[in-house]
Amino acid sequence: MYEAPGHQTCPVDDGEDEEEEGSSGESDGDGQDGGTAATDKVHHRPAIDANTERRGTEMSFKNMQIWYCTTVMVERLKLVVSCERCKNTTDFTTPPGRVNEVACSRCSGRMLVVFRAVLAHSYSSTFGYLDLDGCTAFDVVLQDCHLSVGCIMCSRDILVKVRTSCTM
């Protein structure tokens, strides 16, 4: 087994959307768990369409460099959209594939938004497409997004909740 220098195990987030490994009640009878502790948690990435059509607003990570992971998928996106009628901005959070109807707080205009996720990897930095009606994309708030990262060391998916703090 290959181990990267300075990396003994993969960090696993213990978020609320995860399921314990070995919790299905199956046992091999000898008390061994194959080297994985019963308290380790595994994140199961939601299924996405492998043939996502390239239409709408393409979203990608600028200058993305991937180290020690195979793929990156945005599982929860915080998006800021601008109303086409009055240019007021509204932010909301959505998982992939959900049709979101957002009402503008200023003019009560109807905005429809669908986020279609795709896998980003070392040869493609595109992480999804937006289908927009009544609005335009204004910004993505990366600090409140959840990313599913495929670990190259253990072949497991790890949920990463992006958090940043600025200190001066």
Side-chain angles (χ1 to χ4, degrees):
M1 180 172 129
Y2 171 77
E3 287 188 14
H7 289 81
Q8 299 299 327
T9 60
C10 295
V12 178
D13 184 30
D14 56 355
E16 68 249 359
D17 295 335
E18 297 166 293
E19 182 178 298
E20 274 194 20
E21 210 175 65
S23 63
S24 63
E26 296 176 14
S27 174
D28 57 3
D30 62 356
Q32 300 288 331
D33 60 359
T36 305
T39 60
D40 283 353
K41 300 205 181 220
V42 176
H43 175 72
H44 296 285
R45 182 181 288 178
I48 60 170
D49 185 12
N51 297 318
T52 302
E53 188 177 342
R54 294 184 66 175
R55 63 178 163 79
T57 303
E58 180 177 295
M59 300 183 346
S60 63
F61 294 113
K62 189 174 181 178
N63 300 323
M64 180 177 77
Q65 294 182 1
I66 294 181
W67 298 95
Y68 299 109
C69 61
T70 56
T71 58
V72 177
M73 183 179 129
V74 176
E75 287 193 22
R76 188 176 99 174
L77 178 71
K78 183 160 186 182
L79 183 67
V80 180
V81 293
S82 175
C83 177
E84 284 184 343
R85 289 173 58 187
C86 68
K87 305 301 182 209
N88 185 44
T89 58
T90 305
D91 61 329
F92 65 98
T93 303
T94 184
R98 180 191 294 167
V99 177
N100 300 282
E101 183 173 351
V102 181
C104 178
S105 60
R106 183 181 295 165
C107 70
S108 299
R110 188 179 92 156
M111 300 179 281
L112 293 175
V113 180
V114 178
F115 168 58
R116 295 179 293 118
V118 295
L119 289 176
H121 50 84
S122 59
Y123 295 107
S124 174
S125 62
T126 300
F127 65 88
Y129 299 93
L130 289 174
D131 297 328
L132 305 167
D133 186 26
C135 60
T136 57
F138 185 77
D139 195 9
V140 172
V141 183
L142 190 60
Q143 290 85 356
D144 295 328
C145 292
H146 290 184
L147 307 175
S148 178
V149 178
C151 177
I152 201 166
M153 304 301 290
C154 66
S155 300
R156 295 182 352 188
D157 291 328
I158 302 167
L159 183 64
V160 177
K161 297 175 183 176
V162 180
R163 305 251 195 268
T164 61
S165 61
C166 182
T167 59
M168 299 191 104

